[in-house]
Amino acid sequence: MDHRSADSDHILSVIVPVYNEESVISELHKRLAKVLDGLSMTSEIIYINDGSTDTTLEILNGFREQDERVCILDLSRNFGKELAMTAGLDHACGDAVVVIDADLQDPPELIPDMLNEWQRGYDVVYMQRRSRQGETWLKRFTAYGFYKVMGKLGTVPIPENVGDFRLLDRRAVLALRRLREENRFMKGLFAWVGYSQKALLYDRDERFAGETKWNYLRLWTLSLEGITSFSTAPLKMASLMGLLTATGAFFFGVWIVLKTLLWGDPVQGYPTMMVVILFLGGVQLISIGILGEYLGRMFMETKRRPLYLLKGQALAKTTCSLHQQQENHNGSADA
Ligand code: UDP
Ligand code: MG
């Protein structure tokens, strides 16, 4: 009756986006499978191959032959983690769904704790990093700055030091599926759906092997995504900046006219002129840039392209029939 019991009638889906993770994926699967073996729930593991160029897909196929809980979604190219997760959420049939990184920075052993909180009635259980040890000061500083700015600008508060590692109840997953925007800032979307949320503290491990796929340029893009998809404050800031400079320019103009009337006008003032021109030019370019960020996003949004494309999909044997029912129910998973 209660959809939150942890018995074999209920399903736990674990979503793992993977991109070139041949060096860690076997270790992850071993640890994850061990955790799931210890649960009484039926489970499925959905690996989303995000256009890996190494042997990741072959390794995943190997898992599938040995483990009937494994499901593979093979994206047609690299779409990025946010979209890989979206593909996973679209296909998960669990009563509870866990999103986890492939690189073992998120310990799978914490899943039972998350399930406990879920059974106590929380719809979203997110894992909050106790510390950011092992990261460079620059990364920590930029992350801190980003959360501060987001907190000030955004309409929904986004919890700090929280990654994508979390458990979602089915209804939160269904809500997320309805958000089909192209510019996906998943942390914001997770917060946007609301429902009862619970934070659990954990120590984030170092990457087990391989390299992080995030460089500063991608982080910058992600931050812009986060800010522009949840707030129009930069636009207001641009107008405010315009208003302030215009007011300043007005008084400066009055001062110049008076000065000329009182003391005449020997040709002078090249430095002032340059400063004013450059300053105004700068303000204008910044404002146009801000406008452009929003306009560009609107442009992408109006195309209404599918968010991702699948090259192939292999369902889990344990949960196959449920998947099929679901497909019939909403054939629009990737529409
Ligand atoms: N990932 C992905 N597509 C990408 C980049 C990353 O699916 O384009 C996956 C990656 O395989 C891993 C997770 O997203 O499972 C987190 O990536 P990473 O460890 O590089 O990020 P970080 O932990 O440094 O934030
Ligand atoms: Mg990582």
Side-chain angles (χ1 to χ4, degrees):
M1 153 109 224
D2 181 14
H3 81 292
R4 288 177 196 249
S5 355
D7 55 32
S8 56
D9 285 343
H10 294 87
I11 301 177
L12 169 71
S13 307
V14 180
I15 295 179
V16 193
V18 260
Y19 176 51
N20 292 349
E21 302 282 13
E22 58 182 2
S23 52
V24 293
I25 194 76
S26 301
E27 179 69 18
L28 169 87
H29 187 70
K30 212 163 71 195
R31 274 172 64 181
L32 187 58
K34 196 160 159 230
V35 172
L36 297 183
D37 287 341
L39 298 175
S40 43
M41 283 176 96
T42 305
S43 52
E44 61 172 358
I45 309 176
I46 306 182
Y47 287 108
I48 303 106
N49 176 35
D50 188 12
S52 301
T53 49
D54 59 5
T55 58
T56 301
L57 185 62
E58 281 108 79
I59 302 177
L60 292 179
N61 282 325
F63 295 162
R64 199 178 126 70
E65 269 154 34
Q66 285 159 19
D67 191 336
E68 55 180 22
R69 293 171 295 197
V70 173
C71 217
I72 301 173
L73 298 175
D74 190 19
L75 301 188
S76 64
R77 62 171 168 84
N78 177 252
F79 279 90
K81 183 186 179 187
E82 314 279 308
L83 290 173
M85 277 193 290
T86 307
L89 289 170
D90 286 345
H91 290 83
C93 60
D95 299 283
V97 177
V98 168
V99 183
I100 191 168
D101 277 4
D103 58 3
L104 287 168
Q105 282 189 292
D106 308 328
E109 289 74 24
L110 294 173
I111 292 178
D113 296 342
M114 298 163 94
L115 280 171
N116 269 342
E117 297 300 330
W118 171 67
Q119 279 180 287
R120 286 169 56 189
Y122 289 104
D123 295 300
V124 179
V125 183
Y126 59 81
M127 304 303 289
Q128 192 159 35
R129 258 172 277 179
R130 203 171 277 140
S131 67
R132 279 183 163 258
Q133 238 119 53
E135 293 186 341
T136 59
W137 66 268
L138 186 61
K139 174 103 186 251
R140 260 184 279 173
F141 177 76
T142 43
Y144 174 80
F146 171 71
Y147 284 113
K148 266 270 154 335
V149 172
M150 272 313 279
K152 285 263 181 320
L153 298 182
T155 41
V156 277
I158 294 173
E160 215 167 311
N161 290 340
V162 171
D164 295 313
F165 186 26
R166 63 186 68 220
L167 177 145
L168 302 159
D169 179 63
R170 178 148 197 85
R171 65 174 168 168
V173 175
L174 292 179
L176 275 168
R177 281 190 199 161
R178 292 170 60 195
L179 310 181
R180 302 312 289 180
E181 59 230 72
E182 188 115 337
N183 300 292
R184 303 183 81 72
F185 176 62
M186 290 304 282
K187 282 176 205 155
L189 298 184
F190 285 140
W192 186 88
V193 299
Y195 294 119
S196 54
Q197 311 217 351
K198 165 89 181 173
L200 288 183
L201 290 176
Y202 80 122
D203 290 308
R204 194 157 204 251
D205 294 335
E206 300 258 335
R207 189 172 236 289
F208 182 74
E211 270 176 21
T212 173
K213 274 100 206 156
W214 295 99
N215 53 32
Y216 279 101
L217 189 65
R218 281 184 95 162
L219 284 175
W220 167 250
T221 315
L222 187 71
S223 320
L224 273 189
E225 210 78 85
I227 292 172
T228 50
S229 51
F230 281 91
S231 157
T232 51
L235 289 172
K236 288 183 200 131
M237 235 157 57
S239 344
L240 191 69
M241 217 156 52
L243 194 73
L244 286 180
T245 38
T247 318
F250 175 77
F251 287 111
F252 189 52
V254 171
W255 157 243
I256 289 176
V257 170
L258 285 181
K259 199 175 75 165
T260 315
L261 289 179
L262 291 177
W263 296 291
D265 181 27
V267 180
Q268 248 185 14
Y270 171 76
T272 358
M273 206 161 74
M274 278 319 278
V275 168
V276 169
I277 290 178
L278 290 178
F279 177 68
L280 286 184
V283 169
Q284 282 169 5
L285 285 182
I286 291 174
S287 311
I288 294 175
I290 294 176
L291 273 181
E293 291 290 341
Y294 283 92
L295 193 67
R297 285 182 169 73
M298 276 166 65
F299 172 64
M300 295 311 286
E301 221 60 72
T302 50
K303 295 178 193 249
R304 306 220 128 260
R305 289 190 180 156
L307 295 176
Y308 56 85
L309 294 174
L310 292 180
K311 194 155 39 172
Q313 79 177 4
L315 301 179
K317 294 180 191 103
T318 41
T319 53
C320 239
S321 58
L322 279 156
H323 272 291
Q324 245 99 49
Q325 277 169 21
Q326 207 176 337
E327 297 272 289
N328 299 339
H329 233 67
N330 62 341
S332 62
D334 41 354

